[in-house]
Amino acid sequence: MLFAWICRDKPGKLQVRLDARPEHVAFLEGLNGEKKLAFAGPFLDADGKPNGSLVVVEAPDLAAAEALSAADPYAKAGLFESVEIRQWNWVFNTPAAN
């Protein structure tokens, strides 16, 4: 099953994001190596600066997706104001279709 993490940064925490980014990238690379990461990237504000994240992972259930999200270095650094985790169905332009 696929789960989307819709993460919103706390206002004024860009430096927290920048400081934790190397560990966050390594975390996502690890998920990718384990075939758990579908895709990921930041949301951007009007100035083009990151202010949140969209991460889609494969997990057996919601609890496992929540555990992965909690292990993200951004979450551990207290970057996020909110994290919504929703089951997601990839229908169009799937990797298998390309």
Side-chain angles (χ1 to χ4, degrees), residues 13-96:
K13 296 295 182 181
L14 180 58
Q15 192 60 51
V16 172
R17 174 178 278 274
L18 296 175
D19 291 345
R21 188 172 190 281
E23 293 83 10
H24 169 73
V25 169
F27 172 76
L28 293 179
E29 288 173 347
L31 291 180
N32 193 43
E34 296 173 16
K35 306 288 189 222
K36 293 180 182 176
L37 179 66
F39 59 86
F43 290 111
L44 304 175
D45 66 14
D47 296 323
K49 296 200 182 336
N51 67 352
S53 298
L54 173 62
V55 179
V56 177
V57 298
E58 189 163 332
D61 54 36
L62 179 59
E66 289 171 338
L68 286 174
S69 175
D72 184 333
Y74 280 170
K76 289 181 174 184
L79 174 63
F80 298 134
E81 178 176 72
S82 67
V83 177
E84 180 181 3
I85 301 175
R86 299 186 61 186
Q87 190 173 350
W88 186 71
N89 186 23
W90 196 340
V91 176
F92 294 98
N93 294 324
T94 64

